[in-house]
Amino acid sequence: MPRFVVPMQHRPDRDGTTPATRHVPFYLALETASDAWQLALQQYCAPEIAPLDLAMVHVSSDFRRELLTGELSVDVEIRRVGTTSFVVGLALEQDGADAGDVEFTFALVDGARTSAVPIDAAQRAVLEKMSP
């Protein structure tokens, strides 16, 4: 299972200042986890699966500790591959401690992004490389 170390940081507020607190709100933690998934998608799934081939259909998260600015280690695995969709699991760790778990469910979609399409053999093969 691939592991990525990604920076977790605040975005500037509307007035251009950056918050001084080290606490990171949940939506930035989800964004950082998504960054790790994008790295895995580029390194393990291209060119068989590209971001435009996917529609996110479900997100769930379980945070077990406060997340702070700094580095976040993210283990990425494919937890389930169905006919037209798959589940990506992201295990979050910060400073050596279990920080939480995020799951994204994606459907593979047609070029018009209006209908789900079956995952073909080549796409299934690259996804299974990230399965436990």
Side-chain angles (χ1 to χ4, degrees):
M1 131 177 51
R3 173 174 270 220
F4 298 93
V5 178
V6 289
M8 192 159 38
Q9 55 198 9
H10 289 288
R11 291 187 300 226
D13 287 333
R14 290 181 183 168
D15 64 2
T17 61
T18 301
T21 178
R22 289 200 60 220
H23 168 77
V24 175
F26 78 93
Y27 58 88
L28 289 179
L30 289 173
E31 188 175 284
T32 302
S34 181
D35 291 344
W37 160 242
Q38 290 300 314
L39 291 170
L41 185 62
Q42 291 168 2
Q43 290 182 24
Y44 290 86
C45 299
E48 286 81 6
I49 302 173
L52 286 176
D53 298 330
L54 303 174
M56 185 179 294
V57 296
H58 184 77
V59 177
S60 66
S61 60
D62 180 21
F63 298 106
R64 291 182 274 285
R65 68 182 294 252
E66 180 180 26
L67 292 171
L68 305 171
T69 56
E71 290 186 338
L72 183 70
S73 297
V74 183
D75 292 324
V76 179
E77 69 179 8
I78 301 301
R79 295 187 175 160
R80 187 184 68 75
V81 180
T83 304
T84 60
S85 65
F86 60 94
V87 177
V88 178
L90 302 116
L92 311 179
E93 183 179 293
Q94 192 171 51
D95 298 328
D98 175 21
D101 189 68
V102 176
E103 279 192 350
F104 297 138
T105 302
F106 290 98
L108 197 67
V109 293
D110 63 10
R113 301 187 54 79
T114 58
S115 300
V117 296
I119 297 170
D120 68 31
Q123 293 164 331
R124 188 172 299 277
V126 296
L127 290 169
E128 289 175 351
K129 288 181 185 177
M130 289 190 289
S131 297

